[in-house]
Amino acid sequence: MSSPNQPLDLTLDGGALTAQLVDFPSVSGDEQALADAVEAALRDLPHLTVDRHGNNVVARTNLGRAERVLLAGHLDTVPIADNLPSHVEGDLLYGCGTSDMKSGVAVQLRLAATLPEPNRDLTFVFYDCEEIEASRNGLGHLAAEHPDWLVADFAVLMEPSGAVVEGGCQGTLRVQVRLTGVRAHAARSWLGDNAIHHAAEVLGRLAAYRPRRVDIDGLEYREGLNAVRIDGGVAGNVIPDECVVTVNFRYAPDRDEAAAEAHVREVFAGFDVTVTDSAPAALPGLGQPAAQAFLAATGGTARAKFGWTDVARFSALGVPAVNYGPGDPNLAHKREEHCSLSAIAEVETRLRDWLA
Amino acid sequence: MSSPNQPLDLTLDGGALTAQLVDFPSVSGDEQALADAVEAALRDLPHLTVDRHGNNVVARTNLGRAERVLLAGHLDTVPIADNLPSHVEGDLLYGCGTSDMKSGVAVQLRLAATLPEPNRDLTFVFYDCEEIEASRNGLGHLAAEHPDWLVADFAVLMEPSGAVVEGGCQGTLRVQVRLTGVRAHAARSWLGDNAIHHAAEVLGRLAAYRPRRVDIDGLEYREGLNAVRIDGGVAGNVIPDECVVTVNFRYAPDRDEAAAEAHVREVFAGFDVTVTDSAPAALPGLGQPAAQAFLAATGGTARAKFGWTDVARFSALGVPAVNYGPGDPNLAHKREEHCSLSAIAEVETRLRDWLA
C-alpha cells in the first residue's frame, strides 16, 4: 500500500489512487491535509483553474464549450472502524471510505488529470463535512458563498450507487402530531380525557394510508408516510394528558416542500400538526440533453434514488443532478466497507467515453 | 405545640393528640420512635393485650364479645415537605401527616384509652411502611407472620375519607400490549412493517371501550380501561419494529384478579399481552351485621372507594373492611396537608357511639 500523506499520484489507475486516498484519513472535520493534497495535485494541471474555500476545492476547465458538466464528491468519511490501512482481496479494495466515497473522488481526479480537452466544460468539486450535520456541509457553504463556482448544466454526484445512475432523490418531511387530554388519577378515569386514546385515529389514518408510486422521467418513485416515534404517558396510575406521534413523509420529486406539507396536513386534518424537519426532493432531470448523452454513455438505464443526498442541493440551485459512483451504497458506513476495483475502472471509462 | 418525642398523652382531645403525633416525625422506614411511644402508651392500659412485630403494634381487648372489630392505621408519612411542626389555623391543623393519617391514628388511640368495656371486642393495629413499596408494608408482614392477630368480623381502616364511609376498593391490573414489525430505512418503508401503525387497532379498542358501572351493596363502582403509556420508535429515519402500550384496568370488586385478567385478554384478543402488575379489589362487605350497625352509627351513607388501599389486604384475609377517617384524601401527600379538627372529633364520637 502507499504511504499516507504523500503527494497524490494522478497517474495511478483508479483503484490504486482510491487506495492512496483511503490511506489518507479524513474523518469529517479533519479534511485539511487531504484538501491540501487535492488542491496541490490539481494546481499541477495547467488546463484547470483552481479555487479554494475552507477545505473545499473547485477546479474548472474554461474552453467555452456549449455545456458545462459538474462532477462532485465529498472528501470526508465516517469515523474509522479499525479498517485502515486499505487492503486488496481479489477484485475488492477494503477500508473506510472505499465505497463512500473515495472511489468516486479517485475517478474525479483521474478525469481531471486525463481530459485536458473534454467535449463539455468540466467543473470538479471536492467538499468537506458531508457525513455530519447539514449546517457544516461544504457544498452548502459553496452554494452560499460562491454560487458562481457551481454553475453547470448538469451535475453528477459520485456517491456510491453501484455503478448505476440513480436519478433525483426523495424529499423528507417530519411532523409531530400532538394529542392533548386532561390528566386524572387512573382510579377515576372518567374525570380525565386520555390523550393516548386520541392517537387511535392518527395511527388509523397512517395504517390505512396508501402511498403513491410516481413515474418521473421513466423512474419509479415510491412514497411513504410513517410514524417513526410515539410517546405518551405520565405514570402508571395517571390518565395521560399528552401524546405525540412523530411522522416522516418521504415523497417523490413532483412535490415541493410546500406541497408535501400541505398533503400531510390534509391527511391529519383536524389534528395539531407541527413541522420539525424538511428537506426538498430533487427531480432526476434526465430530460436534459447532457443527461441523455450521459445516460446513453453509462448503459442507458437509471433507477430512482430513495435516500436524501446532496443532489437535492444542486436541484435547489437549478442544476439537474444524478448520483453515479462505483461504490456500493449498502456497504457505506460499515466496518467491512469495500469497493469493486472493476467498478471503479468501469465508471471512469464510461464517464471518459461521454466526455472525451 | 407539644415537644417532639415526648410520651404520648392519650388524655388530650383528638386534635391535640393528632398534633403531638404529627410533631413526632415518622417518615416511612423511620417509625421506630413513634412505634415505641405508641406501644408504651398502650401498655399503660390494663384492659388491653399488646403485641409487637418490628415496628407494628397490635392491642386487643379480650372480653368474649360476639363480634370483633379491628381499627387499623399506618404510622408512617410521606417525606416532610417543610411542613413541620404542625400549627393550627381556626378549625384546621396543618402539617405532614395531619390528613394521611395521624388524625386517624389519634382517634384509634383515643378509643383504645377511653373504651375499657366496648360492646364488641376491639383490635387496634398500628403499622409501618404503608407509603412505600408493597413488600415493606407492615400490615402485609403481620398478615404473613401473625395472621391470628388480625382475626376480626369487620375492619375499619382509618385512611382519609373525609369522615364518610368508603366501601371496598377497586382492583388494579397493568398489562403491556406489545406490537412487533420489521425495521427498515424510512426512505424504503415498503421493505419494513411499522409496529407503531399496528397499535392503531389497540388504541381503537381502548377508545371504543365502554367501562361498566356496577352496583354492589348499594355502592356504585365505575371501572376504567386506559392506556397509561405508549412507547415506540428507533430513530427519525427508521421504520420501527416495536411498540408497547401499557394499559391499566381499574375494576369493580365483583371481579377477582383472574377474572380481570381474562377480561383484558378478551378485549385485546389477537395481541401479545403480558401482565406486569396486579392487586385485587375488595368487596365493601356492607351486608355484615357489624357493618350495618357501623353504617347507622356513622350517618347511614357510604360511597365506593376508587383508589386501591389496604382494605384489599383485609378482604384477602376474609375480613370485610371499609375506609373511614377524618382526613381529606385530596390533601394527602401535599405540602399544604391539613385536617379539620371538628372532623377528628366527629369521627371519634361516631365510632364511640357505635362501640360503647
Side-chain angles (χ1 to χ4, degrees):
Chain A
M1 287 295 95
S2 51
S3 301
N5 299 16
Q6 296 296 306
L8 296 175
D9 180 357
L10 305 192
T11 67
L12 293 173
D13 68 37
L17 181 56
T18 300
Q20 195 184 4
L21 292 166
V22 167
D23 293 338
F24 221 123
S26 58
V27 176
S28 306
D30 200 20
E31 299 94 337
Q32 184 172 344
L34 182 55
D36 290 349
V38 166
E39 180 185 357
L42 293 170
R43 289 204 188 274
D44 286 344
L45 302 171
H47 61 282
L48 294 177
T49 304
V50 179
D51 290 298
R52 178 156 173 169
H53 174 84
N55 288 327
N56 306 291
V57 181
V58 178
R60 285 175 286 181
T61 64
N62 295 285
L63 302 167
R65 305 291 194 229
E67 288 182 322
R68 177 174 288 279
V69 166
L70 186 152
L71 300 169
H74 61 83
L75 297 173
D76 60 321
T77 69
V78 294
I80 296 157
D82 195 26
N83 51 2
L84 284 189
S86 63
H87 71 279
V88 173
E89 294 182 20
D91 182 51
L92 303 179
L93 175 68
Y94 282 81
C96 181
T98 46
S99 177
D100 186 10
M101 57 169 285
K102 288 179 171 174
S103 49
V105 171
V107 171
Q108 288 179 270
L109 290 169
R110 288 282 301 152
L111 295 173
T114 61
L115 283 172
E117 296 210 354
N119 56 11
R120 297 167 176 88
D121 267 314
L122 297 180
T123 301
F124 299 94
V125 176
F126 305 88
Y127 62 103
D128 67 349
C129 293
E130 192 272 346
E131 298 287 6
I132 53 176
E133 61 268 31
S135 63
R136 295 180 63 188
N137 184 295
L139 191 61
H141 294 181
L142 288 176
E145 303 290 330
H146 299 284
D148 52 309
W149 296 358
L150 302 182
V151 169
D153 297 292
F154 184 63
V156 179
L157 184 62
M158 301 200 63
E159 287 275 7
S161 73
V164 174
V165 176
E166 293 188 328
C169 80
Q170 290 179 314
T172 175
L173 175 73
R174 251 173 230 103
V175 303
Q176 290 190 331
V177 185
R178 188 173 306 274
L179 298 316
T180 56
V182 177
R183 204 180 280 206
H185 195 288
R188 296 177 187 79
S189 53
W190 57 93
L191 300 178
D193 177 27
N194 195 316
I196 294 177
H197 294 190
H198 294 323
E201 173 67 18
V202 172
L203 299 188
R205 291 186 194 179
L206 284 167
Y209 186 82
R210 292 287 162 265
R212 289 192 312 158
R213 294 179 176 211
V214 188
D215 190 284
I216 301 172
D217 288 354
L219 309 188
E220 185 187 55
Y221 289 85
R222 297 182 67 166
E223 297 189 328
L225 183 69
N226 277 277
V228 290
R229 168 147 227 101
I230 186 166
D231 288 296
V234 176
N237 59 355
V238 175
I239 304 301
D241 56 351
E242 185 171 270
C243 180
V244 176
V245 186
T246 305
V247 175
N248 185 208
F249 183 37
R250 299 286 178 142
Y251 55 92
D254 61 339
R255 304 192 202 255
D256 63 15
E257 287 178 277
E261 180 180 338
H263 177 67
V264 169
R265 289 191 181 278
E266 186 183 315
V267 169
F268 297 116
F271 290 97
D272 173 14
V273 173
T274 307
V275 172
T276 59
D277 189 28
S278 175
L283 284 162
L286 296 180
Q288 304 287 322
Q292 288 290 323
F294 169 73
L295 255 190
T298 55
T301 60
R303 62 187 178 207
K305 182 73 173 179
F306 293 111
W308 195 91
T309 77
D310 272 329
V311 300
R313 291 185 198 275
F314 288 110
S315 190
L317 290 168
V319 182
V322 297
N323 295 279
Y324 179 62
D328 180 338
N330 296 322
L331 293 171
H333 305 188
K334 294 194 172 170
R335 182 184 297 266
E336 69 271 25
E337 182 174 352
H338 57 260
C339 184
S340 155
L341 295 170
S342 53
I344 297 172
E346 178 195 332
V347 166
E348 181 182 336
T349 299
R350 289 188 181 269
L351 288 174
R352 181 176 292 107
D353 289 348
W354 170 47
L355 297 169
Chain B
M1 286 294 93
S2 52
S3 302
N5 300 15
Q6 295 295 306
L8 297 175
D9 180 357
L10 305 193
T11 67
L12 294 173
D13 67 37
L17 181 55
T18 300
Q20 194 182 6
L21 292 166
V22 168
D23 292 338
F24 220 122
S26 57
V27 176
S28 306
D30 200 20
E31 299 94 335
Q32 184 172 345
L34 182 56
D36 290 348
V38 166
E39 181 185 357
L42 293 170
R43 288 204 189 276
D44 285 343
L45 302 171
H47 60 282
L48 294 176
T49 304
V50 179
D51 290 297
R52 178 156 174 170
H53 173 85
N55 288 328
N56 305 292
V57 181
V58 178
R60 284 175 287 180
T61 65
N62 292 286
L63 302 166
R65 304 293 196 230
E67 288 182 324
R68 175 174 289 276
V69 166
L70 186 152
L71 300 168
H74 62 81
L75 297 174
D76 61 321
T77 70
V78 294
I80 297 158
D82 195 27
N83 52 2
L84 285 187
S86 62
H87 71 278
V88 173
E89 294 183 20
D91 182 50
L92 303 179
L93 175 68
Y94 282 81
C96 180
T98 46
S99 178
D100 186 12
M101 58 169 281
K102 287 178 171 174
S103 50
V105 171
V107 171
Q108 287 179 272
L109 289 169
R110 287 284 300 153
L111 295 173
T114 59
L115 283 172
E117 295 209 354
N119 56 12
R120 296 167 177 88
D121 267 313
L122 297 179
T123 300
F124 300 94
V125 177
F126 305 88
Y127 63 102
D128 67 350
C129 293
E130 192 273 345
E131 298 288 5
I132 52 176
E133 61 266 34
S135 63
R136 295 180 63 187
N137 183 295
L139 191 61
H141 293 180
L142 288 176
E145 304 288 332
H146 300 284
D148 52 308
W149 295 359
L150 302 181
V151 169
D153 298 291
F154 183 64
V156 179
L157 184 63
M158 302 199 64
E159 287 275 7
S161 73
V164 174
V165 175
E166 293 188 328
C169 81
Q170 289 179 313
T172 176
L173 175 74
R174 253 174 228 100
V175 303
Q176 291 189 331
V177 184
R178 188 173 307 271
L179 297 316
T180 56
V182 176
R183 204 180 281 205
H185 195 288
R188 295 175 187 81
S189 54
W190 57 93
L191 300 178
D193 177 28
N194 195 315
I196 293 177
H197 294 190
H198 294 323
E201 172 67 19
V202 172
L203 299 188
R205 292 186 194 180
L206 284 167
Y209 186 82
R210 293 289 162 261
R212 290 192 312 158
R213 295 179 176 212
V214 189
D215 190 286
I216 301 172
D217 287 356
L219 309 188
E220 185 185 55
Y221 289 85
R222 297 182 67 165
E223 297 187 330
L225 183 70
N226 277 277
V228 290
R229 169 149 226 99
I230 187 165
D231 289 297
V234 176
N237 60 354
V238 176
I239 304 301
D241 55 352
E242 185 171 271
C243 180
V244 176
V245 186
T246 304
V247 175
N248 186 208
F249 182 38
R250 299 286 178 143
Y251 56 92
D254 62 338
R255 305 194 202 251
D256 63 15
E257 288 178 277
E261 180 181 338
H263 176 67
V264 170
R265 289 191 180 279
E266 188 182 313
V267 169
F268 296 115
F271 289 97
D272 173 14
V273 173
T274 307
V275 173
T276 58
D277 188 28
S278 175
L283 285 162
L286 296 179
Q288 303 286 323
Q292 287 291 323
F294 169 73
L295 257 189
T298 54
T301 60
R303 62 187 178 206
K305 182 74 173 179
F306 292 112
W308 194 91
T309 76
D310 272 330
V311 301
R313 292 186 196 275
F314 287 111
S315 189
L317 290 167
V319 183
V322 296
N323 296 279
Y324 179 62
D328 179 339
N330 296 323
L331 294 171
H333 305 187
K334 294 196 171 167
R335 183 184 295 267
E336 69 272 25
E337 182 175 351
H338 57 260
C339 185
S340 155
L341 295 169
S342 53
I344 298 171
E346 179 196 331
V347 166
E348 180 182 336
T349 299
R350 289 189 181 268
L351 288 175
R352 181 176 291 107
D353 289 348
W354 169 47
L355 296 169

